[in-house]
Amino acid sequence: MEVFKFNIIPTEEFMKREAFRKAINNCEACGTALEFSYKQLNEFSVLSEEASCPCCALIKEENHRVH
């Protein structure tokens, strides 16, 4: 009977995942964690995403098509 099963990933894969997570969630200018807000635009089937940095006031906006 198997009680515990651990899925251990190699260090290199872990480092790649962490780098990707930081690139998406942190400010590219100063490295501070971004604050996200979302608005759904039903008439265009679009989800509008705004990421703002509380430290340096950088704002990024992206639109994602909802299927």
Side-chain angles (χ1 to χ4, degrees), residues 8-29:
I8 300 172
I9 59 174
T11 303
E12 182 179 317
E13 181 66 25
F14 176 77
M15 297 303 283
K16 283 197 284 187
R17 289 181 186 186
E18 281 299 302
F20 176 76
R21 187 187 60 76
K22 286 180 183 177
I24 298 299
N25 293 324
N26 293 2
C27 178
E28 57 194 37

Side-chain angles (χ1 to χ4, degrees), residues 24-62:
I24 298 299
N25 293 324
N26 293 2
C27 178
E28 57 194 37
C30 68
T32 304
L34 294 172
E35 295 176 352
F36 293 91
S37 64
Y38 302 94
K39 296 177 194 164
Q40 187 165 357
L41 308 173
N42 290 329
E43 62 274 9
F44 302 114
S45 297
V46 170
L47 181 65
S48 177
E49 173 187 63
E50 182 180 281
S52 60
C53 178
C55 186
C56 69
L58 178 77
I59 296 176
K60 291 179 10 179
E61 291 185 28
E62 285 191 42

